[in-house]
Structures are given as structure tokens and as C-alpha cells.
């Protein structure tokens, strides 16, 4: 049975992706900071009959990252690592002239440093898979475009994109995909721009199938947009 670690799995895209993978028969190790909400994600996933381990904690904690990988090892190995946990740096987002440097450091620590730390911890298991493991770094269009107030968050996602690109070169036996899911109707987006009406934005459940397509087709490592994978606007 294939095994995946998903960080930031308590709600939004992380929860939606957990449900989609469970539907496909994947066993899961799920991470988030808030235990009760994380357990709800696990309840949804377990309804499909798969094994689900929940580990509440903070991905910036090295011991927590080690525990996530150890849990995957107990389930039989690791085939997929999804770095979905994200921090904005400021809530709501602010212009660079007002961005607290402590907030920027927190975004970089969660979105970049912790993501790399988890990859480093997981690499032995990912390399050991018969087909070669896969890493998905959840990116953002803010990594590519200059949107006002999104500078700190976008910089962290741009750094994550580059780490994913270099990892793909250094680990040719793995698939490493940076995926831009596009704007979604999530708590994270509402925290970023609370005055914006996001009712016309897609729900994460409609975006998660793009990730399943990557896993099914296993294209070359690289950066992908969920909209292109889903054929939206084609």
C-alpha cells in the first residue's frame, strides 16, 4: 500500500488531498498544529478504509519532522511527501514597508526551512521505493507574480520553488513537483485578504484531483499549475 505524508492537513487543500488519496487507497500520515481539526480530516480519510496516523505538531520542530517520517516507516515506507503547511508572515497581508521582519522569518521558517528539513529527513525512505518516491511542494502564483502585499509570502514560495527545482536535479530518481494550486476558497486566503469576497473562488476539493493526475501520469519533475492539469481554460 502506498504511503504519503501531508503537512498542513487539517483543512483546505491538505484535507481535500488527504481525502482524495484515501479514496485511491493510500495510507496517510497527517500533520497540522491543531489536533481536533486534524482528527476531523483523519475521520474523513478513514472512511475509505485506509490507515491514517495523525501527528499534531509544528513542522518547524525537527523532532516533529522526525516523528512524521518514523510514522511513515511504521506504515511500510514513504512514496509521497506533500509540503503543504504554510505561514503568511502577516495576517492580513501588508505592504513590504510594514511587513514585520519576525513575520517574514516565520514564513521562511515554515514554508522553506521546515519543508527542506522534512525532505532531508524523508529522503532515505523516498529513495527506497521501487518506483522512486515523489515530493510535492505546494507553491503559489505569488512566487511568480508581483502582487501588492504578497511580497513576503511570495518570496518564501519562490524560494520553495527553487529548492524543489534543485532537488529534482540532485535526486533524478525521484519526481519533484512544485504545484501552484491557484486561488482557492480557504481559511488561509481569508486570513491573507479578509475584506475580499472569495465566494467565486474554487473549493480545494475541486483542485485536489490535479495532484492525483500528477501521481497517475508521473510527468517529469518541474513546476505545474493545477489549472493546466485540470484543463481549466483550455
Amino acid at each position: 500500500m502506498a504511503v504519503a505524508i501531508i503537512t498542513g492537513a487539517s483543512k483546505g487543500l491538505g484535507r481535500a488531498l488527504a481525502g482524495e488519496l484515501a479514496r485511491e487507497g493510500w495510507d496517510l500520515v497527517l500533520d497540522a498544529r491543531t489536533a481536533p481539526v486534524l482528527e476531523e480530516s483523519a475521520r474523513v480519510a478513514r472512511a475509505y478504509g485506509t490507515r491514517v496516523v495523525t501527528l499534531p505538531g509544528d513542522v518547524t520542530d525537527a523532532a516533529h519532522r522526525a516523528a512524521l517520517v518514523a510514522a511513515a516507516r511504521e506504515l511500510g515506507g514513504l512514496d509521497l511527501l506533500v509540503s503543504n503547511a504554510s505561514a503568511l508572515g502577516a495576517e492580513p497581508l501588508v505592504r513590504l514597508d510594514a511587513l514585520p521582519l519576525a513575520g517574514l522569518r516565520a514564513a521562511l521558517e515554515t514554508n522553506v526551512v521546515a519543508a527542506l528539513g522534512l525532505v532531508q529527513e524523508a529522503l532515505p525512505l523516498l529513495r527506497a521505493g521501487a518506483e522512486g518516491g515523489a515530493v510535492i511542494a505546494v507553491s503559489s502564483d505569488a512566487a511568480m507574480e508581483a502582487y501588492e502585499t504578497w511580497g513576503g509570502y511570495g518570496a518564501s514560495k519562490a524560494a520553495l520553488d527553487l529548492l524543489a527545482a534543485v532537488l529534482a536535479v540532485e535526486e533524478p530518481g525521484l519526481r519533484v513537483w512544485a504545484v501552484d494550486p491557484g486561488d482557492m476558497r480557504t481559511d488561509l486566503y481569508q486570513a491573507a485578504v479578509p475584506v475580499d469576497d472569495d465566494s467565486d473562488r474554487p473549493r480545494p476539493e475541486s483542485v485536489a484531483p490535479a495532484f492525483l493526475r500528477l501521481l497517475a501520469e508521473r510527468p517529469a519533475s518541474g513546476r505545474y499549475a493545477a489549472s493546466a492539469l485540470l484543463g481549466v481554460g483550455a
Side-chain angles (χ1 to χ4, degrees), residues 88 90 93-101 104 146-156:
L88 290 168
L93 294 178
V94 295
R95 289 163 49 96
L96 289 177
D97 61 6
L99 178 63
L101 295 184
L104 176 60
Y147 300 132
E148 186 174 358
T149 75
W150 288 83
Y153 178 78
S156 72

Short mmCIF file of all heavy atoms in Angstrom, two decimals, residues 88 90 93-101 104 146-156:
data_model
loop_
_atom_site.label_atom_id
_atom_site.label_comp_id
_atom_site.label_asym_id
_atom_site.label_seq_id
_atom_site.Cartn_x
_atom_site.Cartn_y
_atom_site.Cartn_z
N LEU A 88 1.78 32.86 6.42
CA LEU A 88 1.68 34.06 5.59
C LEU A 88 2.75 35.10 5.90
O LEU A 88 3.16 35.86 5.03
CB LEU A 88 0.30 34.70 5.77
CG LEU A 88 -0.88 33.92 5.17
CD1 LEU A 88 -2.19 34.50 5.67
CD2 LEU A 88 -0.81 33.96 3.64
N ALA A 90 2.17 37.67 7.82
CA ALA A 90 1.35 38.72 8.43
C ALA A 90 -0.10 38.42 8.08
O ALA A 90 -0.40 37.97 6.98
CB ALA A 90 1.73 40.10 7.91
N LEU A 93 -2.28 40.32 5.10
CA LEU A 93 -1.04 40.69 4.44
C LEU A 93 -0.88 42.21 4.40
O LEU A 93 -1.86 42.95 4.37
CB LEU A 93 -1.03 40.13 3.01
CG LEU A 93 -0.99 38.60 2.89
CD1 LEU A 93 -1.04 38.21 1.43
CD2 LEU A 93 0.23 38.02 3.58
N VAL A 94 0.38 42.65 4.41
CA VAL A 94 0.68 44.08 4.40
C VAL A 94 1.77 44.35 3.37
O VAL A 94 2.46 43.45 2.91
CB VAL A 94 1.15 44.56 5.79
CG1 VAL A 94 0.03 44.44 6.80
CG2 VAL A 94 2.39 43.78 6.25
N ARG A 95 1.92 45.63 3.01
CA ARG A 95 2.98 46.04 2.09
C ARG A 95 4.34 45.77 2.72
O ARG A 95 4.48 45.65 3.94
CB ARG A 95 2.84 47.52 1.77
CG ARG A 95 1.65 47.88 0.90
CD ARG A 95 1.35 49.38 0.97
NE ARG A 95 2.56 50.18 0.78
CZ ARG A 95 2.93 50.71 -0.38
NH1 ARG A 95 2.18 50.56 -1.46
NH2 ARG A 95 4.04 51.43 -0.48
N LEU A 96 5.36 45.71 1.89
CA LEU A 96 6.70 45.40 2.38
C LEU A 96 7.20 46.44 3.39
O LEU A 96 7.95 46.10 4.32
CB LEU A 96 7.69 45.30 1.22
CG LEU A 96 7.53 44.06 0.33
CD1 LEU A 96 8.51 44.14 -0.84
CD2 LEU A 96 7.74 42.77 1.11
N ASP A 97 6.77 47.69 3.23
CA ASP A 97 7.25 48.70 4.17
C ASP A 97 6.69 48.52 5.57
O ASP A 97 7.17 49.12 6.53
CB ASP A 97 6.98 50.12 3.65
CG ASP A 97 5.51 50.42 3.45
OD1 ASP A 97 4.65 49.59 3.80
OD2 ASP A 97 5.21 51.51 2.91
N ALA A 98 5.67 47.68 5.70
CA ALA A 98 5.06 47.42 7.01
C ALA A 98 5.21 45.97 7.44
O ALA A 98 4.72 45.60 8.52
CB ALA A 98 3.57 47.79 6.97
N LEU A 99 5.86 45.14 6.65
CA LEU A 99 5.96 43.73 6.97
C LEU A 99 6.91 43.52 8.15
O LEU A 99 8.09 43.86 8.07
CB LEU A 99 6.49 42.95 5.75
CG LEU A 99 6.71 41.45 5.93
CD1 LEU A 99 5.40 40.74 6.23
CD2 LEU A 99 7.37 40.86 4.70
N PRO A 100 6.43 42.95 9.25
CA PRO A 100 7.33 42.68 10.39
C PRO A 100 8.40 41.67 9.97
O PRO A 100 8.08 40.62 9.40
CB PRO A 100 6.39 42.09 11.45
CG PRO A 100 5.01 42.46 11.02
CD PRO A 100 5.04 42.54 9.53
N LEU A 101 9.63 41.98 10.25
CA LEU A 101 10.70 41.06 9.88
C LEU A 101 10.56 39.72 10.60
O LEU A 101 10.92 38.67 10.05
CB LEU A 101 12.06 41.69 10.16
CG LEU A 101 12.38 42.92 9.32
CD1 LEU A 101 13.81 43.41 9.62
CD2 LEU A 101 12.22 42.65 7.84
N LEU A 104 8.26 37.72 8.46
CA LEU A 104 8.94 37.18 7.29
C LEU A 104 9.79 35.98 7.68
O LEU A 104 9.80 34.95 6.99
CB LEU A 104 9.82 38.25 6.65
CG LEU A 104 10.67 37.81 5.46
CD1 LEU A 104 9.80 37.27 4.33
CD2 LEU A 104 11.53 38.95 4.96
N ALA A 146 4.22 39.77 -9.15
CA ALA A 146 4.43 40.81 -8.14
C ALA A 146 3.08 41.39 -7.72
O ALA A 146 2.62 42.40 -8.27
CB ALA A 146 5.34 41.90 -8.67
N TYR A 147 2.44 40.76 -6.75
CA TYR A 147 1.16 41.24 -6.23
C TYR A 147 1.41 42.09 -5.00
O TYR A 147 2.12 41.67 -4.08
CB TYR A 147 0.26 40.06 -5.85
CG TYR A 147 -0.09 39.11 -6.96
CD1 TYR A 147 0.03 37.74 -6.78
CD2 TYR A 147 -0.55 39.58 -8.19
CE1 TYR A 147 -0.31 36.85 -7.80
CE2 TYR A 147 -0.88 38.71 -9.21
CZ TYR A 147 -0.76 37.35 -9.01
OH TYR A 147 -1.08 36.48 -10.02
N GLU A 148 0.80 43.25 -4.94
CA GLU A 148 0.93 44.11 -3.78
C GLU A 148 0.48 43.37 -2.53
O GLU A 148 -0.56 42.71 -2.53
CB GLU A 148 0.09 45.38 -3.98
CG GLU A 148 0.28 46.40 -2.88
CD GLU A 148 -0.45 47.71 -3.16
OE1 GLU A 148 -1.08 47.82 -4.23
OE2 GLU A 148 -0.38 48.61 -2.30
N THR A 149 1.24 43.51 -1.48
CA THR A 149 1.09 42.92 -0.14
C THR A 149 1.49 41.44 -0.07
O THR A 149 1.60 40.90 1.03
CB THR A 149 -0.33 43.07 0.46
OG1 THR A 149 -1.23 42.15 -0.16
CG2 THR A 149 -0.84 44.50 0.36
N TRP A 150 1.73 40.80 -1.19
CA TRP A 150 2.08 39.37 -1.17
C TRP A 150 3.59 39.14 -1.22
O TRP A 150 4.05 38.01 -1.44
CB TRP A 150 1.41 38.65 -2.34
CG TRP A 150 -0.07 38.50 -2.18
CD1 TRP A 150 -1.02 39.43 -2.47
CD2 TRP A 150 -0.78 37.36 -1.68
NE1 TRP A 150 -2.29 38.95 -2.19
CE2 TRP A 150 -2.17 37.68 -1.69
CE3 TRP A 150 -0.38 36.11 -1.22
CZ2 TRP A 150 -3.14 36.78 -1.27
CZ3 TRP A 150 -1.36 35.21 -0.79
CH2 TRP A 150 -2.72 35.56 -0.82
N GLY A 151 4.39 40.20 -0.99
CA GLY A 151 5.84 40.10 -1.18
C GLY A 151 6.53 39.08 -0.29
O GLY A 151 7.32 38.26 -0.77
N GLY A 152 6.26 39.10 1.01
CA GLY A 152 6.92 38.17 1.92
C GLY A 152 6.53 36.73 1.66
O GLY A 152 7.38 35.84 1.54
N TYR A 153 5.22 36.50 1.56
CA TYR A 153 4.73 35.15 1.30
C TYR A 153 5.22 34.67 -0.07
O TYR A 153 5.69 33.53 -0.21
CB TYR A 153 3.20 35.15 1.34
CG TYR A 153 2.56 33.82 1.04
CD1 TYR A 153 2.52 32.83 2.00
CD2 TYR A 153 1.97 33.57 -0.20
CE1 TYR A 153 1.92 31.60 1.73
CE2 TYR A 153 1.37 32.36 -0.48
CZ TYR A 153 1.34 31.37 0.49
OH TYR A 153 0.74 30.16 0.21
N GLY A 154 5.14 35.54 -1.08
CA GLY A 154 5.59 35.17 -2.42
C GLY A 154 7.06 34.85 -2.45
O GLY A 154 7.50 33.91 -3.14
N ALA A 155 7.87 35.60 -1.71
CA ALA A 155 9.30 35.33 -1.66
C ALA A 155 9.58 33.95 -1.08
O ALA A 155 10.46 33.22 -1.55
CB ALA A 155 10.01 36.41 -0.85
N SER A 156 8.82 33.59 -0.05
CA SER A 156 9.03 32.27 0.56
C SER A 156 8.65 31.16 -0.41
O SER A 156 9.32 30.13 -0.48
CB SER A 156 8.23 32.15 1.87
OG SER A 156 6.83 32.05 1.62
#
